[in-house]
Amino acid sequence: MKTVVVTRFGGPEVLEVRDVPIPEPGPGQVRIKVHASGLNYADIMQREGLYPNGPKPPFGAGFEVAGTIDAAGSPDCPWPIGTGVMGFCENGYSEFAIAPAARLMPKPEELDFAQAAAIPCQYLTAYHALLTLGGLREGQTVLLQAAAGGLGVFMVQIARNLGATIIGTCSTDEKCDLIQSLGCTHPVNYTKRDFAAEVKQITKGAGCDLVVESVGGNVFDKSLRCLKSRGRLITLGAASRQPASVSAIQLLAANWTVSGFHLSGYANDMEAMGKAIGDLATWLSSGKLTVLAQHRFALEQAADAQQFISDRKSTGKVVLIPGS
Ligand SMILES: NC(=O)c1ccc[n+]([C@@H]2O[C@H](COP(=O)([O-])OP(=O)(O)OC[C@H]3O[C@@H](n4cnc5c(N)ncnc54)[C@H](OP(=O)(O)O)[C@@H]3O)[C@@H](O)[C@H]2O)c1
């Protein structure tokens, strides 16, 4: 089968498509015939060697797929062969991937495989950041950075479904139009307008209840100052590669909370995961969640697909379709 290997840390040129034997699932594992491999910003940070505790080359690229169960490693496997699933795995940019059976979710029938590949990382992160951790409620105001990205378009729609006022930032007018169509009440093209000034004007100087920040550096600093007293900033990424820091005195003086978020910390919270998947089903069946997965590349184009994200050309999910 074909698989994509990160041969050393570096740019997209370090990705290599290789022919390897089809892997066999061990006890508690399944083999998935991959119909769509999800790309995430973390894949790029891992390839660059910038991901905290990330893998060391050579390693298989990607950790998220949607596909069908192809083989089971244990006789008591809960997934019949041929079932459509989505979830986390190793070597996700592959024609076949191995995953723990217990960590998979059934593919919702409303979604095709490319759309389903957007759920494990980006939907669940958006849900748990905004709701499980952020506690966002109707009537509150939230500032979302990178609002047109893979994570961003889920956050916008979840916040809209909750009845929040949404200030979403992105880098082009086309992205602003997109997030507005998904329910962002105040899209801000930050290359033309200062988002902090917009927050001040929209909230009449009060500031936001919640900020979800994934850029780091100056954007983190400015975002923090967009909070109201007793507001919370959730930091979950550093796309700018710039560090961010905050002083304890600053936090206590302003009554602010800064929370780190990583999805792995929620993986074993069955109650929260059940709620996230239950709300996903409700929103999909009632037409209240659109899953954008229009950027589809062949497996052999993995380097182009990652560069497409790095160039900030993507909106919503980017996937690889093996065999296309
Ligand atoms: N902690 C977690 O568990 C977790 C889980 C999922 C994702 N994340 C993080 O959340 C963020 C979004 O992830 P994603 O996969 O959905 O990616 P994405 O949003 O589709 O892509 C990243 C976006 O960040 C924006 N950006 C702003 N400043 C940037 C810079 N200096 N360089 C590059 N991009 C910049 C760009 O949008 P504009 O051009 O519109 O600014 C870009 O499209 C990433 O930082 C990722 O690491 C964290």
Side-chain angles (χ1 to χ4, degrees), residues 219-233:
V219 176
F220 176 97
D221 293 339
K222 252 170 90 168
S223 299
L224 190 61
R225 283 180 268 115
C226 289
L227 282 177
K228 64 164 58 160
S229 177
R230 297 176 66 175
R232 182 194 296 270
L233 179 146

Side-chain angles (χ1 to χ4, degrees), residues 41 122 125 149-151 170-171 175 190 214 236 239 261 263 312:
Y41 210 80
Q122 288 166 340
T125 297
L151 178 61
C170 50
S171 60
K175 290 183 180 183
Y190 63 78
S214 60
L236 50 67
F261 177 96
L263 183 58
R312 306 179 180 198

Side-chain angles (χ1 to χ4, degrees), residues 6 15 43 138 150 210 304 320:
V6 178
L15 296 180
D43 299 347
E138 184 176 4
L210 181 67
D304 295 338
L320 304 176

Side-chain angles (χ1 to χ4, degrees), residues 207-222:
C208 297
D209 299 277
L210 181 67
V211 175
V212 183
E213 207 293 289
S214 60
V215 181
N218 292 338
V219 176
F220 176 97
D221 293 339
K222 252 170 90 168

Side-chain angles (χ1 to χ4, degrees), residues 39-42 45 51 63 121-122 125-126 145-152 169-172 175 190 213-215 219 235-241 261-264 308-318:
L39 270 73
N40 290 286
Y41 210 80
M45 303 290 267
Y51 201 76
F63 56 79
C121 185
Q122 288 166 340
T125 297
Q145 301 293 357
L151 178 61
T169 76
C170 50
S171 60
T172 68
K175 290 183 180 183
Y190 63 78
E213 207 293 289
S214 60
V215 181
V219 176
T235 173
L236 50 67
S240 69
R241 279 84 173 151
F261 177 96
H262 196 276
L263 183 58
S264 58
F308 188 73
I309 296 176
S310 296
D311 290 342
R312 306 179 180 198
K313 291 180 178 158
S314 60
T315 49
K317 190 68 177 171
V318 179

Side-chain angles (χ1 to χ4, degrees), residues 108-284:
E109 59 183 29
E110 293 89 346
L111 303 181
D112 67 18
F113 285 101
Q115 292 171 309
I119 303 301
C121 185
Q122 288 166 340
Y123 167 78
L124 289 175
T125 297
Y127 186 95
H128 290 309
L130 287 179
L131 275 158
T132 315
L133 174 60
L136 186 66
R137 298 191 304 276
E138 184 176 4
Q140 291 190 325
T141 300
V142 62
L143 170 64
L144 303 173
Q145 301 293 357
L151 178 61
V153 295
F154 280 122
M155 291 198 294
V156 165
Q157 295 180 83
I158 292 169
R160 176 205 61 198
N161 292 347
L162 293 172
T165 297
I166 307 160
I167 305 167
T169 76
C170 50
S171 60
T172 68
D173 289 343
E174 292 71 29
K175 290 183 180 183
C176 280
D177 290 344
L178 172 74
I179 58 175
Q180 188 158 34
S181 75
L182 296 173
C184 178
T185 33
H186 302 283
V188 179
N189 178 343
Y190 63 78
T191 67
K192 293 182 173 173
R193 285 149 56 201
D194 180 64
F195 72 80
E198 295 287 322
V199 168
K200 201 167 178 184
Q201 193 217 320
I202 292 160
T203 63
K204 299 185 174 53
C208 297
D209 299 277
L210 181 67
V211 175
V212 183
E213 207 293 289
S214 60
V215 181
N218 292 338
V219 176
F220 176 97
D221 293 339
K222 252 170 90 168
S223 299
L224 190 61
R225 283 180 268 115
C226 289
L227 282 177
K228 64 164 58 160
S229 177
R230 297 176 66 175
R232 182 194 296 270
L233 179 146
I234 296 175
T235 173
L236 50 67
S240 69
R241 279 84 173 151
Q242 299 300 311
S245 62
V246 56
S247 80
I249 293 287
Q250 195 183 7
L251 294 184
L252 76 85
N255 272 293
W256 287 333
T257 299
V258 174
S259 301
F261 177 96
H262 196 276
L263 183 58
S264 58
Y266 293 73
N268 295 324
D269 184 340
M270 291 309 154
E271 191 183 340
M273 281 294 178
K275 228 177 148 302
I277 293 301
D279 282 346
L280 173 71
T282 304
W283 289 331
L284 286 177

